[in-house]
Amino acid sequence: MIRLRRGAAARKGDGKGADTGDLQRALGSALELLERLARRNPAAGLDEASLRKLRLRAERASDARDYEALAEATANLRLRPGALVSEPPPRARTAPRTRGPAPAATLAFAAERALPVARATGIQDTSAPLERLSQGAVEPPPTLAKDYTAAMDTIAHAVIFLRQRGDVMHTSMGELAHLVASLADDEPQAALRLEQTRSRLADAESIGELERLRETLLQEAGTLVAEARCRAERAAEASEMVRLQEAHRRVLELALDSATAMAEVDALTGLGNRRALERAVTGLARHGQDVGVVVLDLDFFKKINDTYGHAGGDRVLRAAAATLRAELRGNDRAFRSGGEEFVMLLPSTGEDGSARTAERIRAAFEDQLVQAEGGAIRFSASFGVAVWGGRSDYRSALARADRALYAAKRNGRNQVAVAK
């Protein structure tokens, strides 16, 4: 039976590697063989006119649909037993290159036409039988036609495979080109090279050319990956540099904060100094709440320095600061504003509350004994109290507290006076 399987051929000229034109010529040769066989040997059971029409259709075939129709038309062609009989060559023509029977010579001619297709597919078990068939054996075997048909069937499958392989390679290489192009977004030169490669890919006509383009794409991808790795390493180095700079910045900020804090701390007593007092006033002014302002001044401090020396005076100042820290509560804060003078800020505290806090601290001062080289020192302080409205002028409240302090001094010291 002569049979071309359905789907055995692709659109003419579209195959990659083996052109379907070769398959068309091989099919035409096979039909020419059968036509000669029908003409010379009626016992073969073949209709010469039908075969001639099929051969003409094969010559005009241009796409896959034409080959499908030919496959249907040749599906049931059969050779009767004994179709290949010896027959002397025509007298009026020169003998063919082979010296076997005429049908065998025609079959050898068809096999010779099919050899380029077999070689293009690279199928060894097809090329070898066709080589033997094309040599036109003197005594052709009974299976000659069967061997030829099997070889042509294998070639048809090889052409299908090559067509499918070409389609798959086109698709996969298009995806590869797209992937590599995404890597080349930041590389103008690489993007230009890839665009040229993709243009060549669209025009590729053989699997060999596709293979070369695939190698080009893989090399380009390798280059881009290496460049991306270098960029990643440089980015990592830059990121590490940024991290180190950020750490250095934090250290500097901490050092600055520490320096700022030290600049706002009185070295002798550990309380806030005049700068810290100004910062605290600025912060409280934003809240607009009542703040108790208490100014205190140690009594007869010059006499303490004269009697016990500056070391004794410093001991008294430190003892007074420790008492202030111990007696103040919540957000209350104390500052050494200069010499033996201190200021307390008591947020959310009115006149009565501020006066009670001042009285408690006054009593604590009075009950203390400070040990010095010259003996135990007793000390006291005078207090002036005023209330700052928060949004009003702090300096006005401070002046009123100072005037109350001077009144306490004039009235005998060691007492609390409230500004009126």
Side-chain angles (χ1 to χ4, degrees):
M1 179 175 67
I2 306 299
R3 189 179 186 88
L4 181 66
R5 294 188 181 181
R6 182 181 296 275
R11 183 178 298 275
K12 181 178 179 182
D14 284 348
K16 300 296 183 287
D19 195 329
T20 51
D22 292 335
L23 182 60
Q24 181 188 34
R25 288 190 292 275
L27 178 61
S29 298
L31 290 170
E32 182 182 358
L33 160 70
L34 295 175
E35 187 181 340
R36 292 183 183 181
L37 185 61
R39 183 171 58 252
R40 297 180 182 181
N41 190 355
L46 298 172
D47 181 30
E48 182 180 352
S50 298
L51 289 171
R52 185 180 299 108
K53 291 180 180 179
L54 287 176
R55 180 168 59 80
L56 293 175
R57 287 175 59 186
E59 292 175 357
R60 292 193 298 269
S62 61
D63 57 29
R65 289 189 297 274
D66 295 337
Y67 285 103
E68 294 292 345
L70 284 172
E72 292 292 341
T74 59
N76 296 314
L77 292 178
R78 296 176 179 275
L79 291 174
R80 289 179 180 174
L84 293 174
V85 296
S86 298
E87 174 181 308
R91 296 179 181 179
R93 298 178 60 185
T94 304
R97 181 171 59 85
T98 59
R99 292 186 292 179
T106 306
L107 191 60
F109 170 74
E112 186 175 2
R113 296 288 299 275
L115 264 174
V117 184
R119 289 168 181 155
T121 61
I123 305 175
Q124 296 301 323
D125 58 354
T126 301
S127 300
L130 287 175
E131 289 277 3
R132 291 194 299 272
L133 291 175
S134 67
Q135 293 171 3
V138 176
E139 296 294 335
T143 60
L144 188 63
K146 180 180 178 182
D147 291 344
Y148 177 80
T149 303
M152 292 300 297
D153 192 54
T154 303
I155 290 173
H157 280 286
V159 172
I160 294 172
F161 169 76
L162 289 173
R163 168 61 183 270
Q164 293 173 343
R165 182 183 177 193
D167 291 343
V168 170
M169 285 193 69
H170 254 297
T171 301
S172 61
M173 287 190 51
E175 294 174 352
L176 177 60
H178 179 73
L179 175 62
V180 176
S182 67
L183 294 174
D185 287 342
D186 299 328
E187 297 291 339
Q189 293 299 323
L192 179 61
R193 293 195 301 271
L194 283 171
E195 188 59 35
Q196 294 172 348
T197 302
R198 293 172 76 171
S199 177
R200 291 170 57 194
L201 175 63
D203 298 335
E205 296 181 352
S206 69
I207 288 182
E209 189 172 357
L210 286 174
E211 289 284 356
R212 289 190 293 274
L213 289 173
R214 183 176 69 88
E215 291 298 325
T216 300
L217 280 173
L218 290 176
Q219 291 175 2
E220 189 67 43
T223 301
L224 289 171
V225 168
E227 292 174 353
R229 185 178 296 112
C230 290
R231 288 197 301 271
E233 291 174 354
R234 290 195 297 270
E237 292 174 358
S239 177
E240 179 64 15
M241 182 64 68
V242 169
R243 188 189 67 81
L244 291 175
Q245 290 176 347
E246 179 64 19
H248 184 62
R249 183 187 64 80
R250 288 198 298 270
V251 169
L252 290 177
E253 285 181 350
L254 289 173
L256 180 61
D257 291 343
S258 177
T260 301
M262 291 299 294
E264 295 182 354
V265 173
D266 178 64
L268 178 63
T269 63
L271 297 177
N273 59 16
R274 188 180 293 275
R275 180 180 296 179
L277 174 60
E278 292 174 355
R279 182 190 293 270
V281 167
T282 301
L284 290 171
R286 289 194 291 266
H287 297 287
Q289 59 187 353
D290 286 346
V291 179
V293 179
V294 179
V295 179
L296 67 98
D297 186 87
L298 298 182
D299 297 330
F300 303 111
F301 187 72
K302 183 178 182 303
K303 184 178 180 180
I304 293 174
N305 277 334
D306 292 342
T307 303
Y308 300 99
H310 288 288
D314 290 346
R315 286 176 180 269
V316 170
L317 289 172
R318 283 194 290 268
T323 302
L324 289 172
R325 282 192 292 268
E327 295 294 335
L328 292 179
R329 300 167 187 174
N331 294 327
D332 298 345
R333 293 187 62 186
F335 307 87
R336 184 186 179 194
S337 56
E340 66 274 19
E341 185 176 296
F342 299 83
V343 175
M344 293 184 289
L345 297 178
L346 313 177
S348 302
T349 306
E351 183 179 285
D352 292 342
S354 299
R356 285 194 298 269
T357 299
E359 180 60 31
R360 187 174 65 249
I361 293 173
R362 186 203 64 77
F365 284 172
E366 189 178 36
D367 291 341
Q368 286 192 59
L369 284 176
V370 177
Q371 299 298 326
E373 292 185 1
I377 305 173
R378 286 190 179 276
F379 69 95
S380 64
S382 300
F383 295 77
V385 177
V387 175
W388 171 37
R391 295 191 183 279
S392 60
D393 185 14
Y394 164 75
R395 297 189 180 280
S396 174
L398 181 63
R400 288 187 285 112
D402 278 334
R403 288 196 294 269
L405 170 64
Y406 296 145
K409 291 281 189 181
R410 288 194 303 268
N411 291 332
R413 294 182 173 83
N414 192 20
Q415 58 183 276
V416 176
V418 178
K420 301 300 182 182

PDB file of all heavy atoms in Angstrom, residues 146-174:
ATOM      1  N   LYS A 146       8.100  -1.753  -1.225  1.00  0.00           N
ATOM      2  CA  LYS A 146       7.788  -1.588   0.205  1.00  0.00           C
ATOM      3  C   LYS A 146       8.892  -0.798   0.903  1.00  0.00           C
ATOM      4  O   LYS A 146       8.622   0.099   1.729  1.00  0.00           O
ATOM      5  CB  LYS A 146       7.620  -2.950   0.854  1.00  0.00           C
ATOM      6  CG  LYS A 146       7.302  -2.893   2.333  1.00  0.00           C
ATOM      7  CD  LYS A 146       7.149  -4.291   2.900  1.00  0.00           C
ATOM      8  CE  LYS A 146       6.879  -4.244   4.397  1.00  0.00           C
ATOM      9  NZ  LYS A 146       6.771  -5.589   4.978  1.00  0.00           N
ATOM     10  N   ASP A 147      10.158  -1.117   0.556  1.00  0.00           N
ATOM     11  CA  ASP A 147      11.278  -0.396   1.177  1.00  0.00           C
ATOM     12  C   ASP A 147      11.225   1.091   0.811  1.00  0.00           C
ATOM     13  O   ASP A 147      11.460   1.980   1.641  1.00  0.00           O
ATOM     14  CB  ASP A 147      12.610  -0.979   0.730  1.00  0.00           C
ATOM     15  CG  ASP A 147      12.836  -2.380   1.292  1.00  0.00           C
ATOM     16  OD1 ASP A 147      12.113  -2.729   2.248  1.00  0.00           O
ATOM     17  OD2 ASP A 147      13.707  -3.081   0.773  1.00  0.00           O
ATOM     18  N   TYR A 148      10.926   1.370  -0.467  1.00  0.00           N
ATOM     19  CA  TYR A 148      10.856   2.763  -0.901  1.00  0.00           C
ATOM     20  C   TYR A 148       9.729   3.499  -0.174  1.00  0.00           C
ATOM     21  O   TYR A 148       9.910   4.633   0.308  1.00  0.00           O
ATOM     22  CB  TYR A 148      10.653   2.835  -2.408  1.00  0.00           C
ATOM     23  CG  TYR A 148      10.496   4.249  -2.905  1.00  0.00           C
ATOM     24  CD1 TYR A 148      11.612   5.060  -3.104  1.00  0.00           C
ATOM     25  CD2 TYR A 148       9.240   4.780  -3.143  1.00  0.00           C
ATOM     26  CE1 TYR A 148      11.472   6.361  -3.547  1.00  0.00           C
ATOM     27  CE2 TYR A 148       9.089   6.085  -3.589  1.00  0.00           C
ATOM     28  CZ  TYR A 148      10.213   6.863  -3.789  1.00  0.00           C
ATOM     29  OH  TYR A 148      10.066   8.155  -4.211  1.00  0.00           O
ATOM     30  N   THR A 149       8.549   2.846  -0.092  1.00  0.00           N
ATOM     31  CA  THR A 149       7.413   3.486   0.579  1.00  0.00           C
ATOM     32  C   THR A 149       7.732   3.773   2.051  1.00  0.00           C
ATOM     33  O   THR A 149       7.410   4.837   2.580  1.00  0.00           O
ATOM     34  CB  THR A 149       6.167   2.588   0.480  1.00  0.00           C
ATOM     35  OG1 THR A 149       5.894   2.324  -0.891  1.00  0.00           O
ATOM     36  CG2 THR A 149       4.959   3.257   1.123  1.00  0.00           C
ATOM     37  N   ALA A 150       8.368   2.799   2.724  1.00  0.00           N
ATOM     38  CA  ALA A 150       8.725   2.994   4.137  1.00  0.00           C
ATOM     39  C   ALA A 150       9.717   4.150   4.290  1.00  0.00           C
ATOM     40  O   ALA A 150       9.610   4.972   5.212  1.00  0.00           O
ATOM     41  CB  ALA A 150       9.315   1.702   4.707  1.00  0.00           C
ATOM     42  N   ALA A 151      10.686   4.233   3.359  1.00  0.00           N
ATOM     43  CA  ALA A 151      11.660   5.318   3.428  1.00  0.00           C
ATOM     44  C   ALA A 151      10.987   6.674   3.240  1.00  0.00           C
ATOM     45  O   ALA A 151      11.266   7.640   3.955  1.00  0.00           O
ATOM     46  CB  ALA A 151      12.752   5.107   2.372  1.00  0.00           C
ATOM     47  N   MET A 152      10.061   6.745   2.251  1.00  0.00           N
ATOM     48  CA  MET A 152       9.365   8.014   2.029  1.00  0.00           C
ATOM     49  C   MET A 152       8.505   8.392   3.235  1.00  0.00           C
ATOM     50  O   MET A 152       8.396   9.560   3.616  1.00  0.00           O
ATOM     51  CB  MET A 152       8.491   7.910   0.772  1.00  0.00           C
ATOM     52  CG  MET A 152       9.288   7.795  -0.511  1.00  0.00           C
ATOM     53  SD  MET A 152      10.375   9.209  -0.774  1.00  0.00           S
ATOM     54  CE  MET A 152       9.176  10.511  -0.915  1.00  0.00           C
ATOM     55  N   ASP A 153       7.891   7.390   3.870  1.00  0.00           N
ATOM     56  CA  ASP A 153       7.067   7.655   5.051  1.00  0.00           C
ATOM     57  C   ASP A 153       7.926   8.210   6.184  1.00  0.00           C
ATOM     58  O   ASP A 153       7.556   9.161   6.879  1.00  0.00           O
ATOM     59  CB  ASP A 153       6.372   6.374   5.493  1.00  0.00           C
ATOM     60  CG  ASP A 153       5.293   6.630   6.530  1.00  0.00           C
ATOM     61  OD1 ASP A 153       4.407   7.457   6.271  1.00  0.00           O
ATOM     62  OD2 ASP A 153       5.358   6.013   7.610  1.00  0.00           O
ATOM     63  N   THR A 154       9.107   7.624   6.371  1.00  0.00           N
ATOM     64  CA  THR A 154      10.022   8.103   7.414  1.00  0.00           C
ATOM     65  C   THR A 154      10.485   9.527   7.126  1.00  0.00           C
ATOM     66  O   THR A 154      10.572  10.377   8.026  1.00  0.00           O
ATOM     67  CB  THR A 154      11.247   7.163   7.507  1.00  0.00           C
ATOM     68  OG1 THR A 154      10.796   5.843   7.755  1.00  0.00           O
ATOM     69  CG2 THR A 154      12.178   7.603   8.636  1.00  0.00           C
ATOM     70  N   ILE A 155      10.754   9.804   5.820  1.00  0.00           N
ATOM     71  CA  ILE A 155      11.167  11.157   5.454  1.00  0.00           C
ATOM     72  C   ILE A 155      10.063  12.160   5.765  1.00  0.00           C
ATOM     73  O   ILE A 155      10.312  13.266   6.283  1.00  0.00           O
ATOM     74  CB  ILE A 155      11.539  11.213   3.960  1.00  0.00           C
ATOM     75  CG1 ILE A 155      12.850  10.446   3.727  1.00  0.00           C
ATOM     76  CG2 ILE A 155      11.708  12.655   3.492  1.00  0.00           C
ATOM     77  CD1 ILE A 155      13.216  10.304   2.266  1.00  0.00           C
ATOM     78  N   ALA A 156       8.816  11.782   5.458  1.00  0.00           N
ATOM     79  CA  ALA A 156       7.700  12.689   5.733  1.00  0.00           C
ATOM     80  C   ALA A 156       7.621  13.016   7.224  1.00  0.00           C
ATOM     81  O   ALA A 156       7.431  14.168   7.620  1.00  0.00           O
ATOM     82  CB  ALA A 156       6.383  12.062   5.261  1.00  0.00           C
ATOM     83  N   HIS A 157       7.781  12.002   8.064  1.00  0.00           N
ATOM     84  CA  HIS A 157       7.757  12.243   9.514  1.00  0.00           C
ATOM     85  C   HIS A 157       8.929  13.126   9.942  1.00  0.00           C
ATOM     86  O   HIS A 157       8.786  13.977  10.826  1.00  0.00           O
ATOM     87  CB  HIS A 157       7.794  10.919  10.271  1.00  0.00           C
ATOM     88  CG  HIS A 157       6.469  10.251  10.343  1.00  0.00           C
ATOM     89  ND1 HIS A 157       5.451  10.688  11.162  1.00  0.00           N
ATOM     90  CD2 HIS A 157       5.973   9.178   9.665  1.00  0.00           C
ATOM     91  CE1 HIS A 157       4.392   9.917  11.004  1.00  0.00           C
ATOM     92  NE2 HIS A 157       4.673   8.997  10.098  1.00  0.00           N
ATOM     93  N   ALA A 158      10.089  12.924   9.296  1.00  0.00           N
ATOM     94  CA  ALA A 158      11.241  13.751   9.645  1.00  0.00           C
ATOM     95  C   ALA A 158      10.991  15.214   9.292  1.00  0.00           C
ATOM     96  O   ALA A 158      11.348  16.121  10.041  1.00  0.00           O
ATOM     97  CB  ALA A 158      12.494  13.231   8.927  1.00  0.00           C
ATOM     98  N   VAL A 159      10.344  15.436   8.134  1.00  0.00           N
ATOM     99  CA  VAL A 159      10.045  16.816   7.748  1.00  0.00           C
ATOM    100  C   VAL A 159       9.073  17.442   8.743  1.00  0.00           C
ATOM    101  O   VAL A 159       9.200  18.606   9.124  1.00  0.00           O
ATOM    102  CB  VAL A 159       9.469  16.850   6.317  1.00  0.00           C
ATOM    103  CG1 VAL A 159       8.963  18.253   5.979  1.00  0.00           C
ATOM    104  CG2 VAL A 159      10.544  16.437   5.312  1.00  0.00           C
ATOM    105  N   ILE A 160       8.069  16.653   9.193  1.00  0.00           N
ATOM    106  CA  ILE A 160       7.131  17.162  10.210  1.00  0.00           C
ATOM    107  C   ILE A 160       7.893  17.541  11.474  1.00  0.00           C
ATOM    108  O   ILE A 160       7.685  18.609  12.056  1.00  0.00           O
ATOM    109  CB  ILE A 160       6.067  16.101  10.538  1.00  0.00           C
ATOM    110  CG1 ILE A 160       5.176  15.850   9.325  1.00  0.00           C
ATOM    111  CG2 ILE A 160       5.212  16.535  11.724  1.00  0.00           C
ATOM    112  CD1 ILE A 160       4.240  14.700   9.508  1.00  0.00           C
ATOM    113  N   PHE A 161       8.798  16.649  11.881  1.00  0.00           N
ATOM    114  CA  PHE A 161       9.560  16.899  13.099  1.00  0.00           C
ATOM    115  C   PHE A 161      10.391  18.178  12.970  1.00  0.00           C
ATOM    116  O   PHE A 161      10.434  19.021  13.878  1.00  0.00           O
ATOM    117  CB  PHE A 161      10.470  15.711  13.397  1.00  0.00           C
ATOM    118  CG  PHE A 161      11.487  15.973  14.474  1.00  0.00           C
ATOM    119  CD1 PHE A 161      11.112  16.000  15.803  1.00  0.00           C
ATOM    120  CD2 PHE A 161      12.818  16.221  14.163  1.00  0.00           C
ATOM    121  CE1 PHE A 161      12.036  16.256  16.802  1.00  0.00           C
ATOM    122  CE2 PHE A 161      13.746  16.472  15.153  1.00  0.00           C
ATOM    123  CZ  PHE A 161      13.347  16.496  16.471  1.00  0.00           C
ATOM    124  N   LEU A 162      11.040  18.329  11.790  1.00  0.00           N
ATOM    125  CA  LEU A 162      11.862  19.520  11.595  1.00  0.00           C
ATOM    126  C   LEU A 162      11.004  20.783  11.605  1.00  0.00           C
ATOM    127  O   LEU A 162      11.401  21.817  12.132  1.00  0.00           O
ATOM    128  CB  LEU A 162      12.630  19.417  10.277  1.00  0.00           C
ATOM    129  CG  LEU A 162      13.764  18.380  10.262  1.00  0.00           C
ATOM    130  CD1 LEU A 162      14.336  18.260   8.860  1.00  0.00           C
ATOM    131  CD2 LEU A 162      14.855  18.750  11.251  1.00  0.00           C
ATOM    132  N   ARG A 163       9.814  20.700  10.985  1.00  0.00           N
ATOM    133  CA  ARG A 163       8.918  21.865  11.001  1.00  0.00           C
ATOM    134  C   ARG A 163       8.523  22.209  12.442  1.00  0.00           C
ATOM    135  O   ARG A 163       8.562  23.371  12.857  1.00  0.00           O
ATOM    136  CB  ARG A 163       7.674  21.565  10.167  1.00  0.00           C
ATOM    137  CG  ARG A 163       6.555  22.578  10.335  1.00  0.00           C
ATOM    138  CD  ARG A 163       7.001  23.971   9.902  1.00  0.00           C
ATOM    139  NE  ARG A 163       5.948  24.920  10.136  1.00  0.00           N
ATOM    140  CZ  ARG A 163       5.017  25.232   9.248  1.00  0.00           C
ATOM    141  NH1 ARG A 163       5.037  24.667   8.051  1.00  0.00           N
ATOM    142  NH2 ARG A 163       4.086  26.111   9.533  1.00  0.00           N
ATOM    143  N   GLN A 164       8.139  21.187  13.220  1.00  0.00           N
ATOM    144  CA  GLN A 164       7.744  21.433  14.616  1.00  0.00           C
ATOM    145  C   GLN A 164       8.921  21.958  15.421  1.00  0.00           C
ATOM    146  O   GLN A 164       8.778  22.871  16.235  1.00  0.00           O
ATOM    147  CB  GLN A 164       7.198  20.151  15.240  1.00  0.00           C
ATOM    148  CG  GLN A 164       5.886  19.696  14.626  1.00  0.00           C
ATOM    149  CD  GLN A 164       5.453  18.346  15.138  1.00  0.00           C
ATOM    150  OE1 GLN A 164       6.246  17.608  15.707  1.00  0.00           O
ATOM    151  NE2 GLN A 164       4.195  18.015  14.920  1.00  0.00           N
ATOM    152  N   ARG A 165      10.089  21.386  15.163  1.00  0.00           N
ATOM    153  CA  ARG A 165      11.272  21.847  15.899  1.00  0.00           C
ATOM    154  C   ARG A 165      11.561  23.304  15.567  1.00  0.00           C
ATOM    155  O   ARG A 165      11.908  24.104  16.441  1.00  0.00           O
ATOM    156  CB  ARG A 165      12.471  20.972  15.549  1.00  0.00           C
ATOM    157  CG  ARG A 165      13.732  21.349  16.308  1.00  0.00           C
ATOM    158  CD  ARG A 165      14.891  20.498  15.860  1.00  0.00           C
ATOM    159  NE  ARG A 165      16.120  20.911  16.530  1.00  0.00           N
ATOM    160  CZ  ARG A 165      17.333  20.508  16.158  1.00  0.00           C
ATOM    161  NH1 ARG A 165      17.484  19.683  15.145  1.00  0.00           N
ATOM    162  NH2 ARG A 165      18.398  20.930  16.804  1.00  0.00           N
ATOM    163  N   GLY A 166      11.415  23.661  14.290  1.00  0.00           N
ATOM    164  CA  GLY A 166      11.625  25.047  13.913  1.00  0.00           C
ATOM    165  C   GLY A 166      10.636  25.983  14.588  1.00  0.00           C
ATOM    166  O   GLY A 166      10.999  27.053  15.080  1.00  0.00           O
ATOM    167  N   ASP A 167       9.349  25.569  14.658  1.00  0.00           N
ATOM    168  CA  ASP A 167       8.347  26.394  15.319  1.00  0.00           C
ATOM    169  C   ASP A 167       8.668  26.568  16.795  1.00  0.00           C
ATOM    170  O   ASP A 167       8.571  27.666  17.352  1.00  0.00           O
ATOM    171  CB  ASP A 167       6.951  25.762  15.159  1.00  0.00           C
ATOM    172  CG  ASP A 167       6.462  25.837  13.719  1.00  0.00           C
ATOM    173  OD1 ASP A 167       7.022  26.640  12.956  1.00  0.00           O
ATOM    174  OD2 ASP A 167       5.539  25.080  13.375  1.00  0.00           O
ATOM    175  N   VAL A 168       9.019  25.454  17.456  1.00  0.00           N
ATOM    176  CA  VAL A 168       9.349  25.518  18.888  1.00  0.00           C
ATOM    177  C   VAL A 168      10.561  26.402  19.116  1.00  0.00           C
ATOM    178  O   VAL A 168      10.596  27.226  20.033  1.00  0.00           O
ATOM    179  CB  VAL A 168       9.588  24.095  19.442  1.00  0.00           C
ATOM    180  CG1 VAL A 168      10.168  24.163  20.856  1.00  0.00           C
ATOM    181  CG2 VAL A 168       8.278  23.313  19.455  1.00  0.00           C
ATOM    182  N   MET A 169      11.564  26.248  18.251  1.00  0.00           N
ATOM    183  CA  MET A 169      12.760  27.072  18.421  1.00  0.00           C
ATOM    184  C   MET A 169      12.443  28.548  18.209  1.00  0.00           C
ATOM    185  O   MET A 169      12.934  29.410  18.920  1.00  0.00           O
ATOM    186  CB  MET A 169      13.857  26.616  17.458  1.00  0.00           C
ATOM    187  CG  MET A 169      14.543  25.329  17.873  1.00  0.00           C
ATOM    188  SD  MET A 169      16.049  25.045  16.942  1.00  0.00           S
ATOM    189  CE  MET A 169      17.090  26.353  17.568  1.00  0.00           C
ATOM    190  N   HIS A 170      11.588  28.837  17.202  1.00  0.00           N
ATOM    191  CA  HIS A 170      11.196  30.233  16.989  1.00  0.00           C
ATOM    192  C   HIS A 170      10.527  30.797  18.235  1.00  0.00           C
ATOM    193  O   HIS A 170      10.837  31.901  18.692  1.00  0.00           O
ATOM    194  CB  HIS A 170      10.229  30.317  15.799  1.00  0.00           C
ATOM    195  CG  HIS A 170      10.868  30.881  14.574  1.00  0.00           C
ATOM    196  ND1 HIS A 170      11.361  32.162  14.502  1.00  0.00           N
ATOM    197  CD2 HIS A 170      11.114  30.325  13.346  1.00  0.00           C
ATOM    198  CE1 HIS A 170      11.865  32.383  13.315  1.00  0.00           C
ATOM    199  NE2 HIS A 170      11.739  31.285  12.583  1.00  0.00           N
ATOM    200  N   THR A 171       9.586  30.023  18.810  1.00  0.00           N
ATOM    201  CA  THR A 171       8.862  30.502  19.993  1.00  0.00           C
ATOM    202  C   THR A 171       9.798  30.673  21.174  1.00  0.00           C
ATOM    203  O   THR A 171       9.816  31.712  21.849  1.00  0.00           O
ATOM    204  CB  THR A 171       7.739  29.521  20.347  1.00  0.00           C
ATOM    205  OG1 THR A 171       6.853  29.406  19.226  1.00  0.00           O
ATOM    206  CG2 THR A 171       6.957  30.015  21.561  1.00  0.00           C
ATOM    207  N   SER A 172      10.578  29.613  21.452  1.00  0.00           N
ATOM    208  CA  SER A 172      11.452  29.657  22.629  1.00  0.00           C
ATOM    209  C   SER A 172      12.528  30.732  22.486  1.00  0.00           C
ATOM    210  O   SER A 172      12.870  31.410  23.450  1.00  0.00           O
ATOM    211  CB  SER A 172      12.107  28.289  22.856  1.00  0.00           C
ATOM    212  OG  SER A 172      12.902  27.926  21.746  1.00  0.00           O
ATOM    213  N   MET A 173      13.033  30.909  21.258  1.00  0.00           N
ATOM    214  CA  MET A 173      14.062  31.929  21.085  1.00  0.00           C
ATOM    215  C   MET A 173      13.466  33.329  21.161  1.00  0.00           C
ATOM    216  O   MET A 173      14.120  34.269  21.602  1.00  0.00           O
ATOM    217  CB  MET A 173      14.793  31.716  19.760  1.00  0.00           C
ATOM    218  CG  MET A 173      15.717  30.501  19.818  1.00  0.00           C
ATOM    219  SD  MET A 173      16.807  30.344  18.424  1.00  0.00           S
ATOM    220  CE  MET A 173      17.546  31.919  18.299  1.00  0.00           C
ATOM    221  N   GLY A 174      12.208  33.471  20.729  1.00  0.00           N
ATOM    222  CA  GLY A 174      11.555  34.761  20.925  1.00  0.00           C
ATOM    223  C   GLY A 174      11.421  35.095  22.392  1.00  0.00           C
ATOM    224  O   GLY A 174      11.665  36.228  22.825  1.00  0.00           O
TER     225      GLY A 174
END
